[in-house]
Amino acid sequence: MTVHVGISGWRYAPWRGTFYPRGLPQRGELGYAADRLSSVEINGSFYSLQRPASFRSWYEETPPGFLFAVKGGRFITHMKKLAGVDGALANFFASGVLALREKLGPVLWQLPPTLGFDAERIGDFLARLPRTTTDAAALAAGHDHRVPDPWTQTDQERPLRHALEVRHASFHDPAFVRLASAHGVAVVAADTAGRWPFLEELTADFAYARLHGDEELYVSGYDPPALDMWAARVRRWHETGRDVYVYFDNDTKVRAPVDAIALTERLADLVPARVVA
């Protein structure tokens, strides 16, 4: 069981000359981050369909053992609100996700704050998610014209994990926890400075946390006591026999990479050994 600590996205102009050394070419930013962290959450896939060439490039720019989480498209979660999404799911998985090969980690599905808990809607969506890369490739074959350069193959069958981040108070419901557990989907422990629900139930064979800001959403950093608290929480999850994925999304003031490195240092015995300070 391994712990991966990373950042949500890596291309942010304010990071240049601060986290990234001055003069580092933009094409070198992912590699620079990957030398210091063991995982990155791809969030461009949330806003639009990416292309296989991009996924292949990201694969090549990162070292062995590195993992990507991939954020599912907002067309599925925010516009379609999980209903009638067979074609959209096919397009998402045909966009190149499987080109990440063994570096493909969990797929993150973030729901909008306006979408409350509806057991039938949530259960139907979770049941449609592919559980292996072979299943995902078969689903991808049903893509439409919105994917002009589809990637519908997998180099090897692997398990495919899914995590669900909710943002409506109605998900504070034991029925939701039971539903996520029945489908083996991780409920994201999202630290949102109290703005949205915080759920810590373990519902899958891995745990997934997103840290959006300790006091102010997307802005606040995490001080040493807060990082110690999160390190202890991650250790508890890991002790249950689970892999753990933690991503910092407090990017506004260049806190995300600093905090991710600081948490990595606190968990040095659990993260991949190749990560450098």
Side-chain angles (χ1 to χ4, degrees):
M1 299 295 105
T2 305
V3 172
H4 289 279
V5 179
I7 48 181
S8 183
W10 66 91
R11 289 182 178 171
Y12 299 100
W15 294 16
R16 293 164 190 152
T18 50
F19 173 59
Y20 296 126
R22 193 173 302 278
L24 179 71
Q26 185 172 318
R27 65 180 179 277
E29 292 174 352
L30 176 57
Y32 184 89
D35 281 341
R36 288 151 181 81
L37 299 165
S38 62
S39 187
V40 159
E41 207 176 62
I42 297 173
N43 58 16
S45 52
F46 175 71
Y47 298 101
S48 62
L49 292 172
Q50 303 297 297
R51 291 182 176 272
S54 296
F55 286 101
R56 291 197 303 268
S57 176
W58 298 331
Y59 178 92
E60 293 166 359
E61 292 168 17
T62 52
F66 192 82
L67 283 182
F68 291 94
V70 183
K71 194 171 181 181
R74 64 179 176 175
F75 180 71
I76 296 169
T77 56
H78 288 53
M79 298 175 190
K80 300 286 285 185
K81 292 184 169 57
L82 309 183
V85 295
D86 286 348
L89 281 170
N91 289 346
F92 172 74
F93 284 103
S95 68
V97 174
L98 297 174
L100 293 175
R101 301 169 61 185
E102 79 281 0
K103 295 182 182 180
L104 175 59
V107 179
L108 168 69
W109 303 96
Q110 177 192 297
L111 303 188
T114 55
L115 185 60
F117 176 52
D118 179 314
E120 184 176 356
R121 180 183 296 253
I122 299 298
D124 181 72
F125 175 70
L126 298 184
R128 293 175 185 277
L129 296 176
R131 304 304 164 147
T132 68
T133 53
T134 300
D135 291 342
L139 177 61
H143 71 88
D144 62 24
H145 66 280
R146 296 175 180 84
V147 187
D149 181 25
W151 185 283
T152 61
Q153 60 189 354
T154 180
D155 65 309
Q156 182 179 325
E157 181 169 88
R158 300 182 182 87
L160 187 55
R161 289 166 158 173
H162 298 272
L164 188 66
E165 181 177 7
V166 301
R167 292 189 165 181
H168 192 281
S170 62
F171 283 91
H172 275 299
D173 187 330
F176 168 60
V177 175
R178 290 194 297 269
L179 187 60
S181 297
H183 288 279
V185 171
V187 173
V188 174
D191 184 21
T192 62
R195 182 169 178 179
W196 294 308
F198 179 79
L199 301 174
E200 197 179 349
E201 288 83 356
L202 299 175
T203 56
D205 62 355
F206 69 105
Y208 197 114
R210 303 187 81 214
L211 280 59
H212 299 286
D214 194 28
E215 296 179 354
E216 185 178 357
L217 200 64
Y218 307 126
V219 174
S220 298
Y222 289 80
D223 62 17
L227 289 168
D228 290 342
M229 180 197 69
W230 274 102
R233 180 177 276 132
V234 169
R235 287 186 182 278
R236 289 198 303 272
W237 293 339
H238 182 265
E239 287 168 0
T240 67
R242 289 172 166 84
D243 292 326
V244 183
Y245 302 83
V246 183
Y247 298 97
F248 286 85
D249 188 34
N250 53 336
D251 58 83
T252 302
K253 292 188 176 180
V254 203
R255 291 304 311 170
V258 174
D259 291 342
I261 290 171
L263 184 61
T264 294
E265 292 170 348
R266 286 165 168 77
L267 299 167
D269 56 318
L270 302 180
V271 299
R274 56 160 192 80
V275 175
V276 300

